[in-house]
Amino acid sequence: RLSKQIGGGMYADVPKAEANEDRLSGAPFILDLIARYVKGNADATINPYMPDPLESLLLDVCKRENHRQTLGIEPQVQFEVFQELFREQNASITLDDLKLYLELVASVTDSAVIKRFTNHVFLTPSENAFAPRYEVLRVYFIARFLALALSTIEGKGHTATVARLLALHKTGK
């Protein structure tokens, strides 16, 4: 970064596009990838950034948790639970919310499995509830949902659909 800043000072008059990694703060990297995809990809059915490089890492973490805690929940299903949970819930996730999502997404009703799931590495206890261990996980799952939803919309006549989708997400629906 320092060499880029020095070089940028020497060649300040030369136009260049700012990269996300050059910013001291700004949009998370995954959101930057989505913005590049939507902005520069004329064919919305082909995403140059797929497959998602973080998905395999997070699925491996879920696989490890399945083995470590003997959850009996497939890694892909755990991934779906967290995607829905982090996308739809505020920063605080109650035990009842967690039970509901485990039942609806993973068909888990066993209280022992639910208790072990509360110790998942993606969750951290907070006051009478749970929260994502890392805020970047919450951002990732929201960004992933939006990217997948936007990639299913074909053509340029769906601007209203995209706006409605974003508005629904903003209101928690």
Side-chain angles (χ1 to χ4, degrees), residues 31-154:
L31 294 178
D32 190 51
L33 290 180
I34 293 168
R36 290 184 196 179
Y37 161 63
V38 173
K39 180 181 176 185
N41 188 2
D43 183 4
T45 61
I46 299 171
N47 185 342
Y49 299 106
M50 291 296 202
D52 177 2
L54 294 178
E55 180 179 11
S56 61
L57 172 67
L58 296 177
L59 282 172
D60 285 344
V61 171
C62 289
K63 183 178 180 180
R64 177 186 159 274
E65 286 296 296
N66 193 37
H67 178 73
R68 182 177 75 90
Q69 298 194 62
T70 59
L71 294 172
I73 304 172
E74 291 295 318
Q76 184 65 40
V77 176
Q78 290 179 51
F79 195 79
E80 291 173 21
V81 167
F82 284 113
Q83 179 169 314
E84 294 302 313
L85 190 64
F86 290 168
R87 180 177 65 82
E88 294 183 359
Q89 295 300 316
N90 293 327
S92 180
I93 302 164
T94 66
L95 182 58
D96 289 337
D97 290 336
L98 187 60
K99 286 179 183 177
L100 178 67
Y101 282 89
L102 283 170
E103 183 177 349
L104 293 176
V105 178
S107 301
V108 171
T109 55
D110 184 5
S111 60
V113 173
I114 294 169
K115 176 69 175 156
R116 289 192 303 267
F117 197 85
T118 61
N119 296 316
H120 199 286
V121 72
F122 287 172
L123 293 173
T124 187
S126 64
E127 296 179 27
N128 300 323
F130 302 94
R133 182 170 300 273
Y134 307 105
E135 184 62 22
V136 71
L137 284 174
R138 184 174 168 80
V139 172
Y140 167 78
F141 282 117
I142 292 170
R144 184 176 190 278
F145 166 76
L146 291 174
L148 292 174
L150 288 172
S151 69
T152 61
I153 298 173
E154 298 178 13

